[in-house]
Amino acid sequence: MIGKVQCIAPTGDICGEAATWSADENRVYWVDINRFLIHRMDVASSAVTSHLFDEPVVALSLTTGDGVLLVALGSKLILLDVEADAREDLDVHLSGAPGVRFNDGRTDPNGVFWIGSMGNNVGPNGESLDIDDGLGKLFRYQAGGELEEVEAGIGIANTLCWSPDHSTFYFGDTLKNEIRAYPFDTATSTIGAGTPHCAGIERGLPDGSTIDVDGFLWNCRFGGSCIVRIAPDGTVDRVIEMPVKNITTCCFGGADLSLLYVTTASVAKAESDRLAGSLFAIETQTRGLPENRFKL
């Protein structure tokens, strides 16, 4: 089911995150939180181009606008016209920043953007800071509206995915080593009470995830040197070994959505991890789901 793990962009990211596939552009996007960068790779040429920002870049989403990304910075949400490098402030700001910052985020099947936050662990020059537990929250945002708080008391917000039938929302807390499942109301883009879906895996801690057409969650394990494929019933289906320690996010891409793109981090790396912080690709024998688009 799993092909060879290949390093396709040795970018040396301190904390690579937010892997996002754009089928229209034949590109994969990702960020380096600590260097305040968005990378994009044109698959046809393997060329990597980067955009520099003034604060951490933490999450991305395709939008209904051609060539326009929704970008979550540490303290706010903006729109980015990629080719023009034009940036539009959405006047959506995180209360309490810089003591807290945004983290993982994704758009739901209705075009609503969901994003978590955490105690800020990135200094003004990208240096690592200690994390205060319990400061994180889960929010949702619709274009033109306000940032709505959904849940509080989170350590590090990670993993935002929806089941293929859109009935379940998955959301994780890295510091609790737990991914929870929530009933998702497709009519209103709201969630019910969450229950533990998968917790206590000993291989690292849960970071970002993606989901395949069969409803299996592919969870990246920070500090665990692996990706864990979690079945819809919450059991571990298989473990995909990775050549570096800190695995951060993944997404399905390629012509048939069977290629798994994986970001990694060089922060707190093992001395032997010479490829830490690279973008990797893995050919699978399953397929992912198309990226949801934020509705402008």
Side-chain angles (χ1 to χ4, degrees), residues 61-68 111 292-296:
S61 176
L62 305 182
T63 74
T64 53
D66 290 340
V68 176
N292 295 324
R293 292 178 176 268
F294 177 69
K295 188 178 294 184
L296 296 173

Side-chain angles (χ1 to χ4, degrees), residues 156-278:
I156 300 177
N158 263 314
T159 291
L160 295 95
C161 290
W162 287 262
S163 60
D165 66 0
H166 305 160
S167 66
T168 304
F169 168 64
Y170 296 103
F171 176 64
D173 187 333
T174 299
L175 296 185
K176 290 184 175 67
N177 195 6
E178 180 182 74
I179 296 172
R180 298 190 290 274
Y182 301 72
F184 183 75
D185 187 332
T186 55
T188 60
S189 278
T190 57
I191 58 174
T195 57
H197 177 65
C198 189
I201 295 175
E202 294 180 357
R203 293 286 299 272
L205 296 171
D207 209 308
S209 301
T210 192
I211 202 159
D212 65 28
V213 292
D214 297 312
F216 286 72
L217 202 67
W218 297 63
N219 176 236
C220 296
R221 306 297 296 186
F222 193 91
S225 303
C226 67
I227 300 166
V228 175
R229 187 177 188 246
I230 302 168
D233 65 2
T235 59
V236 174
D237 171 70
R238 70 189 61 220
V239 177
I240 300 95
E241 300 292 343
M242 294 292 293
V244 297
K245 178 182 177 183
N246 297 317
I247 320 303
T248 52
T249 60
C250 58
C251 70
F252 283 100
D256 60 356
L257 295 179
S258 67
L259 189 66
L260 191 71
Y261 290 103
V262 184
T263 62
T264 63
S266 63
V267 65
K269 72 181 184 70
E271 289 302 317
S272 59
D273 281 359
R274 291 185 293 161
L275 291 176
S278 298

Side-chain angles (χ1 to χ4, degrees), residues 36-40 49-53 80 82 85 87:
F36 309 171
L37 296 174
I38 294 176
H39 301 302
R40 74 177 195 263
T49 305
S50 301
H51 299 258
L52 179 63
F53 293 81
L80 171 69
V82 175
D85 196 20
R87 303 156 190 212

Side-chain angles (χ1 to χ4, degrees), residues 100 118-119 131-137 152-156 173 175-176:
V100 293
M118 59 181 286
I131 301 172
D132 290 327
D133 193 2
L135 300 182
K137 297 180 179 181
I154 297 159
I156 300 177
D173 187 333
L175 296 185
K176 290 184 175 67

